[in-house]
Amino acid sequence: MPDQHDVTVGQLLLAEYQTLKDEQKTRIGFRDNLLYVTLTVVAAVIAATAQAKRPDMLLALPPVCVVLGWTYLVNDEKISAIGRHIRHDLGPKLAQLARAEHAFTWETVHRSDSRRRQRKVIQCGIDLLAFCVVPLAGLTVYWAAGENSAGLLTLSLVEALTVIGLASQVVVYTRPFGPTAP
């Protein structure tokens, strides 16, 4: 007979599940707030640029949007990784221990609706707009203003390539055309 202070495998798995769900919830809140931070920073840079009538100030948009966009993307991937771990590792282990067919069915069910792919494509578009299109538009305005020094022009080209690199990662991480259910 196990001592009442002994910890079972099931208790450990449930504790891991709760810890992962707490981390996932925290990451979701942080990730979602990054969009609001990005919008605020973009508005501030555009307002300052318009007020100062200095198009070169738009060169602040790409690094800010890339850093925030990459942070958003990394958090989104960790959120997905937690879900995969629960679906493919924790859930099956707990179901086996409980002699049940499934555990944590919501982790799979919410991914299987008919509009999931559409939502992922739309979210990809929003992410690209917020983190990539806006800074590229800022660069386009800077280039069109024609007040380009050689150094700032070089910097702007490097920024454009960095934003394009982020855009490719946003699309790759989105996986909008992959399977909708495991």
Side-chain angles (χ1 to χ4, degrees):
M1 189 105 164
D3 184 348
Q4 67 183 24
H5 297 292
D6 288 344
V7 178
T8 67
V9 172
Q11 289 170 325
L12 285 173
L13 292 173
L14 287 172
E16 181 182 2
Y17 172 76
Q18 188 57 55
T19 301
L20 287 171
K21 290 307 284 185
D22 289 344
E23 179 180 346
Q24 192 178 49
K25 182 173 68 171
T26 300
R27 285 184 178 274
I28 288 169
F30 181 73
R31 176 204 61 194
D32 292 352
N33 282 328
L34 285 170
L35 278 172
Y36 301 122
V37 170
T38 302
L39 292 173
T40 302
V41 170
V42 164
V45 169
I46 291 172
T49 301
Q51 187 175 21
K53 295 181 171 67
R54 292 204 34 217
D56 59 319
M57 291 175 67
L58 292 171
L59 295 178
L61 286 177
V64 168
C65 288
V66 166
V67 168
L68 292 171
W70 182 251
T71 305
Y72 177 94
L73 196 61
V74 167
N75 270 281
D76 191 61
E77 177 56 27
K78 295 300 181 208
I79 292 162
S80 296
I82 289 169
R84 278 191 305 276
H85 179 66
I86 291 169
R87 284 189 309 278
H88 300 295
D89 191 43
L90 275 181
K93 284 179 182 176
L94 270 169
Q96 182 181 17
L97 281 174
R99 293 182 179 90
E101 193 171 328
H102 302 287
F104 310 129
T105 56
W106 174 249
E107 297 291 337
T108 302
V109 169
H110 83 277
R111 299 171 51 81
S112 62
D113 71 279
S114 63
R115 292 192 174 167
R116 182 169 189 273
R117 185 170 290 143
Q118 178 186 9
R119 281 194 317 274
K120 287 188 72 70
V121 169
I122 291 169
Q123 187 63 51
C124 180
I126 290 168
D127 296 346
L128 287 170
L129 178 65
F131 300 116
C132 302
V133 173
V134 167
L136 289 174
L139 288 172
T140 302
V141 169
Y142 168 72
W143 294 325
E147 302 169 16
N148 309 331
S149 71
L152 290 181
L153 183 59
T154 301
L155 174 65
S156 70
L157 293 172
V158 169
E159 288 180 341
L161 291 173
T162 304
V163 171
I164 291 166
L166 175 63
S168 71
Q169 291 302 299
V170 168
V171 172
V172 167
Y173 275 86
T174 300
R175 298 186 271 285
F177 304 108
T180 58

